[in-house]
Structure formats: C-alpha cells, structure tokens
Amino acid sequence: MLTIKDYILVENLEEAYKLNQNINNVILGGTGWLKLQNRNIGKAIDLSNLGLDKIIEDDEKYVIGCMTTLRDIELNKSLNEFTKGAIKESLRHIVGVQFRNSVTIGGSIYSRFGFSDILTSLLTLDTYVEMYKGGIIPLKDFVDMKYDKDILVNIIIKKSKRLVGYSSFRNQTTDFPVLTCGVAILDNGKILASIGARPHRARVVEDNENILEVKSMENIEKFAKYVSNSLKFDSNMRASGEYRKHLTEVLVKRTLKNLVEVK
Ligand SMILES: Cc1cc2nc3c(=O)[nH]c(=O)nc-3n(C[C@H](O)[C@H](O)[C@H](O)COP(=O)(O)OP(=O)(O)OC[C@H]3O[C@@H](n4cnc5c(N)ncnc54)[C@H](O)[C@@H]3O)c2cc1C
C-alpha cells in the first residue's frame, strides 16, 4: 500500500526541487505506477498547477510538459502527422484510454522502464529531456543516467527530418510488451532501430555499416539481423531471450518494409 503523509501543490519548480531533495518525498506524475508500490511517502509533490500539461509547437520543435498525459500525446494531430502515426502506435496498446488519460510523460520517461513503448519510440526521434537542474540532455544519454532527485520538466522533440515507424509484440492485448521496436530513416539516409523490452531498457542500433544504402529486401533482412546480433536479450515470464532475438529480426524487417519502398 502507498501511504502519503502530506500533499503539496507547489507554486513553482524551485519549491518542488527543494522539497524533492528529501529522500522521503516524491514528485507525483499521474501516480499510475507509484500507487502500486508498497511505500511510505513523506510529502507528495504535485506539479499540476505549473502549466506543464501542454504540448507547445514552433517551427523547430515540440515541447511537451512533463504533466502531459499519454492520451493527449496520442491524440495530438501535429505530432501524429510528423511521425506518420508512429507516436500513436506506441501508445495505443498501453492498458486503456482511461489509464492513458491519467498517466504522464514525465513519470514515464523519468522512470525509464525496460518495457516502455514510449521510451522506445521517442528514441527514434531527435528527442531531449529538459531537467530542472541538469539542463537539456539527449534522451539516448538520459536512458543510461542514474536516478537522481532532479525534476523532468519537458520533453523536447526537434523536427529533424526523418521517417519513423513503430511496432510492438504482446502475448495479450494491454499486457506489457514482449518486445518494442522503433525504426527511423534519417534525412541523410542513415537508418536506426530502437529496441526495448529485451526485457532491458530500449537501445538504439545504428546502421554504421551502411547496410541499407541500397534499400533492397535483401539489405533490410541483413540490417534486421545486424540489429538482433548487436543487442543482448534475456528471458522473463513473458518470453525467452532467444524468442525476443527472433522477434527483433521480424519486427525490424516488418517495420522498415513499411517505411521504405522496396523494388
Ligand atoms: C499496470 C500498468 C501497466 C503498464 N503497461 C505499460 C505498457 O504496456 N507500456 C508502457 O510503455 N508503459 C506501461 N506502463 C507505464 C505507464 O505508461 C506509465 O509510464 C507509468 O504509470 C508512470 O507514469 P505516471 O504518470 O503514472 O508516473 P507516477 O507513477 O506518478 O511516477 C513514476 C515515477 O516517476 C517520478 N516522476 C513522475 N513525474 C516526474 C517528473 N516530472 N520528474 C521527475 N520524476 C518524476 C515519480 O516520483 C515516480 O518515481 C504501465 C503501468 C502500469 C501501472
């Protein structure tokens, strides 16, 4: 059971940051994950009053406030046009609409869950996290950073030109994924794949050997094999490591095929 002694609706980020330095205090996202924990919390710090529940867009980027719900991101027309529906695809399997209406992007990305669909898909985009004290950090570096008591304020997605695609595999609808797979074809022709739920945190594999310079079906298969050979896969109650490795090849191939025109 989660027990909260005090609840504080903060007036600014400095107040939230100071309160959060106490080991017994926590920042609240949508509490989807927190409330499953067996934990005594001193002060629960609520950022709801800080206007951080919006997606703001300009010519160069999207800035997504940490309190934005997964559902608001899933339904954002511009983001979905920019990603050709890949963002929506990476969110629509998470539990259900009511759940996605309450859980936040801040809680999701700060937590860096191994099974995270949204972490996998954001890694295929030019994404950064803006931390209150730590500043702006590329998401691919943030993934490997230790948990600290900083506050994730915004997610920034730069509008670098690229084609992205997303797919995942679940044993059963709404369950945690067995494997998550994002792919991107950058403007300079480079290809990358982001694979999560291995069951470890999502990792990006780049086509450094230019396997896909010629986008033939044969080369897509080669790249899919290259991705699965580059990563470590392990077993848990949902699937074996061997199965995940095989699935990686299948999903990378399938997702890339949808993106490139194969002659
Ligand atoms: C039953 C269940 C099934 C799920 N299935 C999936 C799934 O299939 N795919 C998937 O991708 N995800 C899944 N999730 C994860 C979910 O999508 C959210 O990522 C998760 O609930 C965390 O978001 P939250 O807003 O609820 O965070 P909370 O539970 O409120 O917080 C989580 C952690 O993040 C910290 N935190 C929150 N906001 C901030 C911030 N701004 N700065 C710093 N720290 C912060 C909190 O202190 C806490 O430690 C599942 C979760 C649950 C409970």
Side-chain angles (χ1 to χ4, degrees):
M1 191 172 74
L2 184 75
T3 312
I4 297 175
K5 208 166 162 206
D6 252 335
Y7 162 86
I8 300 179
L9 186 63
V10 291
E11 281 171 17
N12 54 58
L13 283 167
E14 183 61 23
E15 182 189 359
Y17 179 80
K18 280 190 180 144
L19 285 167
N20 198 36
Q21 298 320 295
N22 183 315
I23 191 118
N24 297 316
N25 300 347
V26 291
I27 301 286
L28 302 177
T31 69
W33 193 258
L34 269 175
K35 70 184 169 200
L36 298 185
Q37 296 179 356
N38 212 353
R39 186 167 171 187
N40 290 320
I41 290 176
K43 291 186 170 74
I45 307 156
D46 190 351
L47 309 177
S48 293
N49 250 3
L50 306 184
L52 291 169
D53 58 348
K54 293 175 186 61
I55 303 174
I56 297 167
E57 178 189 359
D58 63 23
D59 289 347
E60 286 157 16
K61 61 188 178 307
Y62 296 92
V63 179
I64 308 176
C66 62
M67 293 301 282
T68 307
T69 67
L70 296 191
R71 181 69 174 162
D72 280 348
I73 298 171
E74 179 185 350
L75 295 180
N76 187 276
K77 203 164 169 262
S78 171
L79 254 176
N80 275 304
E81 272 167 19
F82 180 65
T83 63
K84 304 270 185 298
I87 280 282
K88 182 180 186 141
E89 182 56 31
S90 69
L91 292 168
R92 72 184 181 96
H93 297 283
I94 302 175
V95 186
V97 170
Q98 284 153 319
F99 183 81
R100 300 197 297 279
N101 258 326
S102 62
V103 298
T104 62
I105 191 68
S108 300
I109 298 302
Y110 171 81
S111 300
R112 288 155 275 183
F113 299 116
F115 55 76
S116 178
D117 290 276
I118 186 68
L119 180 62
T120 307
S121 70
L122 286 182
L123 280 169
T124 64
L125 294 161
D126 194 4
T127 308
Y128 302 77
V129 293
E130 184 183 345
M131 304 302 291
Y132 180 58
K133 288 288 171 187
I136 295 175
I137 303 165
L139 180 61
K140 67 177 172 32
D141 297 338
F142 183 69
V143 169
D144 291 324
M145 284 169 62
K146 288 201 175 118
Y147 294 109
D148 60 17
K149 297 289 274 175
D150 205 348
I151 298 172
L152 194 159
V153 183
N154 290 307
I155 299 289
I156 301 167
I157 304 174
K158 293 203 181 150
K159 291 184 175 173
S160 329
K161 275 201 182 139
R162 57 183 69 191
L163 274 174
V164 291
Y166 184 82
S167 55
S168 62
F169 183 85
R170 284 166 161 79
N171 289 332
Q172 195 172 320
T173 324
T174 76
D175 191 8
F176 289 102
V178 168
L179 197 86
T180 59
C181 167
V183 294
I185 304 176
L186 313 194
D187 209 24
N188 62 9
K190 280 250 176 222
I191 313 282
L192 58 85
S194 161
I195 309 293
R198 297 171 292 112
H200 313 292
R201 282 178 188 166
R203 275 267 165 283
V204 171
V205 180
E206 289 179 54
D207 177 19
N208 289 328
E209 296 173 12
N210 287 328
I211 298 170
L212 271 176
E213 209 162 8
V214 182
K215 294 176 185 67
S216 64
M217 188 58 210
E218 196 187 319
N219 283 354
I220 286 180
E221 280 173 16
K222 252 197 213 167
F223 179 65
K225 207 174 250 324
Y226 173 73
V227 174
S228 74
N229 285 333
S230 306
L231 294 167
K232 182 174 178 280
F233 298 91
D234 281 310
S235 307
N236 65 2
M237 64 186 285
R238 285 185 176 75
S240 67
E242 205 184 337
Y243 183 58
R244 287 188 157 98
K245 187 173 160 73
H246 177 71
L247 265 183
T248 298
E249 244 184 271
V250 174
L251 291 192
V252 170
K253 208 185 321 175
R254 194 181 291 165
T255 321
L256 258 179
K257 249 176 73 184
N258 286 339
L259 282 193
V260 299
E261 222 176 84
V262 181
K263 300 207 169 68

